[in-house]
Amino acid sequence: ATESMNISTSRSLAARAMHIWKDQHEGHKLDKMAAELQRRWQEQEAAAKLQLAQISNERDAMGTLAEGHTMQQHRFKDMGLTFSLWRLEAHFQRLERELESREEAAM
């Protein structure tokens, strides 16, 4: 009877020890998985921040190019308008000279 009690106690102790080991082993596996998940999260977060910074820089560069292009278009329009006004002025001066010449010829 004592031998049977010792075997029962040993089995009970072994079962408890196995249960404790299993719980700790599963806890360790969960900790490893959580650490891996956090590492991946941090890598992806760093990659996303880098990509956002690159997009922001590209947007700023595009804005600068657009501003330069707009200024260039304004300069072209101003030059075209100036040239048109100069041609009109030259045309009217020629007409004035012709008119003065005709008036002098008529006198």
Side-chain angles (χ1 to χ4, degrees):
T2 25
E3 189 176 320
S4 145
M5 199 167 159
N6 284 341
I7 292 174
S8 175
T9 305
S10 293
R11 284 184 184 166
S12 177
L13 286 174
R16 282 190 208 146
M18 287 300 288
H19 183 69
I20 290 171
W21 177 85
K22 182 181 173 188
D23 287 348
Q24 287 185 350
H25 180 68
E26 287 178 359
H28 177 70
K29 280 178 26 181
L30 286 174
D31 287 346
K32 281 176 64 177
M33 287 171 43
E36 177 63 17
L37 185 63
Q38 184 175 10
R39 183 190 64 77
R40 282 191 208 164
W41 177 273
Q42 289 171 340
E43 285 176 359
Q44 290 178 358
E45 183 180 28
K49 284 181 180 179
L50 179 63
Q51 191 173 16
L52 284 172
Q54 289 172 341
I55 289 170
S56 177
N57 289 339
E58 289 171 4
R59 186 202 64 216
D60 291 346
M62 293 272 202
T64 301
L65 285 174
E67 286 176 14
H69 182 72
T70 302
M71 289 175 62
Q72 185 179 20
Q73 292 296 329
H74 283 296
R75 279 193 298 266
F76 285 151
K77 285 182 182 179
D78 289 347
M79 287 172 46
L81 183 59
T82 302
F83 183 68
S84 295
L85 289 172
W86 174 77
R87 282 184 19 203
L88 277 173
E89 180 66 25
H91 176 70
F92 285 125
Q93 284 180 1
R94 187 170 27 92
L95 288 176
E96 256 186 59
R97 283 192 305 272
E98 285 179 12
L99 183 61
E100 286 175 2
S101 172
R102 288 182 185 173
E103 284 177 351
E104 287 178 6
M107 293 177 146

